[in-house]
Structure formats: C-alpha cells, structure tokens
C-alpha cells in the first residue's frame, strides 16, 4: 500500500501519543476490514466492450454500518480508496454518527462517457459490489464525478438485485427517489457553518473577508454560493480546466447558473468560452489560485493539492478543507509552523455525511422532513462538533486537525474498549 494511505495513517501517530489507548486500537485501525477490487464490463455505445477497475473498501464498522461515497475518476486506485475509507471512519466518529467508514470508486474519465454508458457503468458497479452493501451493512453515496442521478440508478439496480425497495441502501439520491431535501447543498452548507463559527470566535468580519475556492463541483459550488450570500467576497474560483479571479468579487451564483445551462463550467468560463472571451473575469491558472493572498483558501477539489512543491508559496491566512485530504501531512506541519490555520476536512466536510445520515433515517422511518428541518439539524450538529474541537484545540494547545482526530478517535477507542481489549482478556477472570 503506498503513499496516500501511509500519509493518512501517519497523522494518527500523534493522536495515539496523546491518549491512553490499548495497542488493540492501533492494530485495528491499521488495517481495512474489507477491500473489494472488481472488474466491470462496460458496453460502449459504439458496440465495443471495455473493462473498468472498481473498488469498495469498508475500513472499520465498529460504530455502525460503513458509509462513504463512490467516485468516478481516472486517478481512483486501491491506495486512494483505502485512504478515503480510513478518513470516513474518522469523519463519521468526529460527526458523532452511528457509522463506520467506507469508500468506493471506478478508475474512469466519467466526462468521456455518454449518459447511457454512465448509466450502464453505475449499474454494473452496483452488480459487482451488491453482496457487501445494504442499509445495515454499507451505504454508498455521491463523491467526485458522481451525483444524485447516478445514486438513483445505483439504488434502482440494487432494488432489482434484492427484489425489494430499500432506499436506505444509498444516500444522495434525487429527492423524488427518496433523497433528502438539503442533501445536495449539505457539504458546502456544513463547511460554511464551521467557517462561520470559527470567524465568530476569531472576532473577524465576514464582509471584509476574501475567499478563493478551488473546485466548483457539488461541494465547492454550494459553498461558494452560500458564503457569497453570507457576505464573504469570493475573489477566485477554479475547476479542473482553469480559474477565474476578480478583485471586486465574483458572483458564484451566476457561474453556477451558467454551469447548469452549459453542463461544463469550462464552456462558459475559460479560455475556450464566450464569457471568457468577453473578459467578465480575469483568467488565472489553477496554481495561481492556490497561491493568492486571501483570508480563506477553500480547497474543494481533490486530495494532495498543497504539497511540498507549493506549500511555501501559500499566502492565505487560513485553509478550509472542503475536499478530503487536500493538504498532505508534510505541508500540514509547515503550515502550522507558518501560523496558517487549517480547518480540517474531517470536521469541515462532514455536513455531507451528516445529511446522508438524515436521509437514511428518513428512508428507514418513512417520515420525510422539510428542508428547514434538515438545515436546522445540520447546523446544530456542525456547530456542536466544531465548538468541541475549537475548545479542545485551545485547551490542549494542539492544531485543529489533531483536536478533530482526537475527538473522533476517542469515540472509536470507546467502542473498541467496550468489546474488550488486551487489558481485559489478559486478566484472569478467576
Ligand atoms: P465534484 O465532482 O462535484 O466536483 C469536483 C470539482 O473539482 C469539479 O468542479 C472539478 O472540475 C474540480 N477539479 C478537479 N480537479 C481540479 C483541479 N486540479 N483544480 C481545480 N479544480 C479541480 O466533486 P465533489 O462532490 O464536489 O467533491 C469534491 C471534494 O469534496 C472531494 O474531495 C470529495 O471527496 C469531497 N467531499 C464531497 C462531498 C459531497 O457531498 N459531494 C462530501 C464530503 C467530501
């Protein structure tokens, strides 16, 4: 197993040195429970057959059924999926949800597939992993390059296989197919709730704060729009094709509306687009966006974006990790030494899985909530966990990431301890 996973685990070493935990815990959390690698046949529209590699990793289920998204991306690998499943284990514990952690993915350039190819792939993926998922076992959800429509196809395929309608098997579904109101915006909304709490504690004024957002997909776009509505200045936004900048502030809602119309933001924004040609906003490179002098750099694209290669050039006062693992562990230490605050992924983006949990509760009870109720409960959960982590970081003089990991790991340690550890079993009951 290679770098990303080793990096993810390395971050736990500091946490274990700060708590009294049996060696059992270290041993349990060092290994995923189930790693499934599958080859998925995909019939292309032109008649060709392609076989794509897919994965589902269930990392740890001691606190409940495992939960985690499915990504369709060319970089998907066993290492990446395992690391993300590990992070989900910690994240569900940080958010206080009764879940363990999992992740899945298919190594594919989803943008190169037609709608029908995408549907066949989504259904093929579920056929390949159906034996190990279920509402009380492992519950997939959307992640990079997967969305509500794809979750709807996946759920439908699962119902066909098990011959019953069990909407609790997958979350992030379209609302008309048993999805929760508020799920689509939940990750961005949750990230904003955390930022707002931190800004309030730091005595800062949102109206004077400048934010750059890397990634304009589900998480990044909702975050940018909601932060804009809350009075923050969104000065730069990027997607995989490039970035735009405006010193006076961008209008993310306009960009989002354009993206909805044109499907790809790049068609509207970047160098090959009409808007770009009319120079509404200045075009900058993705790397330039990361190095802007802003109050908050919100990283909402993918992992390992701040690394040894660029960490010294980061000028933002704080980083908001909306994506999973956007800062590697080396850079995390450097940023800390440079006095740059990192609001960690396991807290910041836990709004998505929290509303997925609400969706699962609604599916299982058959009672559906209004959007205001979903947002109210999300706010309460995010603020409760954020306050706890902010206070623990202050009290114990540790980074917010260490405080968040401590918070989650203590819950996992509690569960492992209750099942009995070396200390318990080594005792002579007589
Ligand atoms: P998405 O596919 O909807 O969006 C990803 C965005 O990132 C796209 O706009 C894409 O163009 C952009 N991107 C890709 N590479 C880039 C690059 N090099 N530079 C700039 N932009 C780039 O995915 P998403 O669901 O928004 O997920 C984004 C991140 O948030 C992932 O790390 C994911 O694991 C995490 N996350 C998402 C959710 C959720 O509910 N969607 C929940 C928790 C965490």
């Amino acid at each position: 197993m290679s770098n990303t996973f080793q990096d993810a685990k390395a971050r736990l070493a500091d946490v274990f040195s700060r708590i009294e935990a049996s060696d059992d815990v270290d041993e349990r959390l060092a290994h995923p429970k189930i790693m499934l690698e599958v080859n998925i046949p995909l019939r292309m529209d032109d008649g060709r057959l392609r076989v794509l590699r897919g994965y589902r990793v269930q990392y740890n289920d001691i606190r409940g059924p495992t939960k985690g998204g499915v990504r369709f991306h060319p970089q998907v690998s066993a290492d990446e999926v395992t690391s993300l499943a590990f992070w989900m284990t910690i994240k569900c514990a940080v958010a206080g949800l009764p879940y363990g952690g999992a992740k899945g993915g298919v190594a594919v350039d989803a943008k190169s597939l037609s709608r029908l190819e995408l549907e066949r792939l989504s259904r093929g993926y579920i056929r390949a992993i159906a034996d190990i998922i279920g509402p009380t076992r492992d519950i997939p959800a959307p992640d990079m390059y997967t969305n509500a429509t794809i979750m709807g196809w996946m759920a439908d395929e699962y119902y066909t296989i098990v011959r019953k309608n069990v909407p609790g098997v997958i979350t992030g579904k379209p609302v008309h197919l048993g999805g929760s109101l508020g799920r689509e915006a939940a990750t961005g909304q949750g990230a904003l709730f955390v930022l707002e709490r931190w800004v309030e504690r730091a005595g800062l004024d949102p109206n004077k704060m400048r934010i750059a957002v890397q990634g304009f997909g589900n998480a990044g776009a909702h975050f940018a729009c909601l932060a804009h509505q809350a009075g923050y200045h969104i000065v730069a936004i990027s997607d995989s094709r490039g970035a735009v900048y405006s010193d006076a502030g961008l209008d993310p809602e306009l960009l989002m509306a354009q993206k909805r119309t044109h499907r790809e933001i790049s068609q509207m924004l970047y160098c090959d687009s009409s808007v770009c040609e009319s120079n509404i906003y200045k075009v900058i490179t993705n790397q330039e966006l990361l190095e802007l002098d802003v109050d908050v750099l919100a990283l909402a694209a993918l992992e390992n974006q701040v690394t040894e290669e660029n960490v010294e050039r980061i000028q933002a006062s704080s980083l908001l990790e909306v994506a999973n693992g956007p800062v590697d562990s080396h850079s995390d230490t450097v940023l800390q030494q440079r006095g740059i605050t990192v609001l960690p992924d396991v807290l910041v983006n836990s709004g998505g899985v929290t509303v997925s949990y609400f969706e699962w509760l609604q599916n299982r009870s058959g009672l559906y909530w209004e959007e205001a109720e979903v947002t109210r409960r999300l706010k309460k959960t995010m603020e409760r966990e954020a306050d706890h982590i902010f206070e623990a970081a202050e009290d114990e003089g540790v980074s917010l990431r260490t405080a968040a990991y401590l918070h989650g790991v203590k819950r996992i340690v509690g569960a492992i301890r209750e099942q009995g550890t070396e200390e318990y079993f080594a005792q002579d009951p007589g």
Side-chain angles (χ1 to χ4, degrees), residues 134-385:
T136 54
R137 193 164 179 197
D138 178 21
I139 307 131
D143 195 76
M144 281 187 76
Y145 296 102
T146 57
N147 57 21
T149 304
I150 292 175
M151 294 307 114
W153 293 329
M154 288 184 172
D156 184 57
E157 190 64 26
Y158 187 78
Y159 307 159
T160 306
I161 293 166
V162 300
R163 291 186 171 272
K164 54 188 167 189
N165 190 308
V166 274
V169 66
I170 281 172
T171 60
K173 301 177 295 294
V175 170
H176 293 295
L177 293 175
S180 176
L181 293 169
R183 172 62 185 89
E184 215 190 308
T187 303
Q189 176 72 80
L192 182 62
F193 285 144
V194 172
L195 178 66
E196 295 265 73
R197 210 59 171 183
W198 178 73
V199 163
E200 202 181 304
R201 286 177 77 92
L204 299 168
D205 178 359
N207 296 304
K208 294 188 180 142
M209 292 178 71
R210 289 154 45 87
I211 305 183
V213 184
Q214 184 203 35
F216 202 59
N218 177 283
H222 284 103
F223 170 75
C225 291
L226 291 164
H228 175 68
Q229 283 164 22
Y232 296 86
H233 296 280
I234 310 297
V235 294
I237 291 178
S238 66
D239 74 5
S240 58
R241 301 277 302 273
V244 283
Y245 175 83
S246 167
D247 202 36
L250 304 157
D251 180 353
E253 275 157 47
L254 175 73
L255 301 185
M256 199 161 165
Q258 289 172 341
K259 186 179 171 171
R260 285 215 168 106
T261 314
H262 293 267
R263 291 272 153 224
E264 273 188 52
I265 194 171
S266 57
Q267 287 173 4
M268 285 308 298
L269 277 180
Y270 302 127
C271 299
D272 53 352
S273 79
S274 53
V275 172
C276 181
E277 280 155 15
S278 67
N279 285 331
I280 287 188
Y281 300 128
K282 185 179 161 195
V283 175
I284 59 171
T285 66
N286 283 6
Q287 198 53 44
E288 281 170 334
L289 179 139
L290 295 177
E291 295 167 15
L292 286 172
D293 183 4
V294 286
D295 297 295
V296 181
L297 172 61
L299 297 163
L302 61 172
E303 61 271 15
N304 295 330
Q305 296 303 294
V306 178
T307 62
E308 204 165 356
E309 200 277 311
N310 63 358
V311 63
E312 295 294 349
R313 296 195 300 275
I314 299 294
Q315 296 187 70
S317 313
S318 60
L319 268 56
L320 184 73
E321 291 188 326
V322 186
N324 285 307
V327 177
D328 72 11
S329 61
H330 163 83
S331 310
D332 206 26
T333 312
V334 174
L335 291 168
Q336 211 181 332
Q337 285 161 355
R338 292 183 54 204
I340 297 174
T341 304
V342 179
L343 291 142
D345 50 5
V346 287
L347 169 66
V348 171
N349 69 29
S350 62
V353 69
T354 300
V355 176
S356 272
Y357 168 57
F358 296 163
E359 179 175 333
W360 183 76
L361 288 177
Q362 293 171 75
N363 291 154
R364 288 165 65 82
S365 69
L367 181 69
Y368 286 81
W369 310 344
E370 289 178 6
E371 187 163 354
E373 176 66 5
V374 173
T375 311
R376 186 188 68 77
R377 287 183 188 240
L378 174 65
K379 187 168 193 281
K380 194 172 157 198
T381 306
M382 298 302 297
E383 290 183 350
R384 182 189 65 217
E385 303 304 328

Side-chain angles (χ1 to χ4, degrees), residues 1-2 5-6 9 29-39 53-60 66 77-86 101-105 125 128-129 132 137-138:
M1 198 58 54
S2 69
F5 183 54
Q6 296 306 345
K9 283 200 302 182
L29 289 181
H31 312 280
K33 182 176 177 183
I34 294 179
M35 294 176 74
L36 181 64
E37 187 170 318
V38 294
N39 292 305
R53 182 67 50 88
Y55 306 89
R56 185 74 189 167
V57 174
Q58 296 170 1
Y59 201 89
N60 181 287
T66 52
S77 64
D79 175 48
E80 183 189 68
V81 174
T82 306
S83 315
L84 292 165
F86 169 82
K103 205 77 178 189
Y125 176 70
I129 67 161
I132 65 163
R137 193 164 179 197
D138 178 21

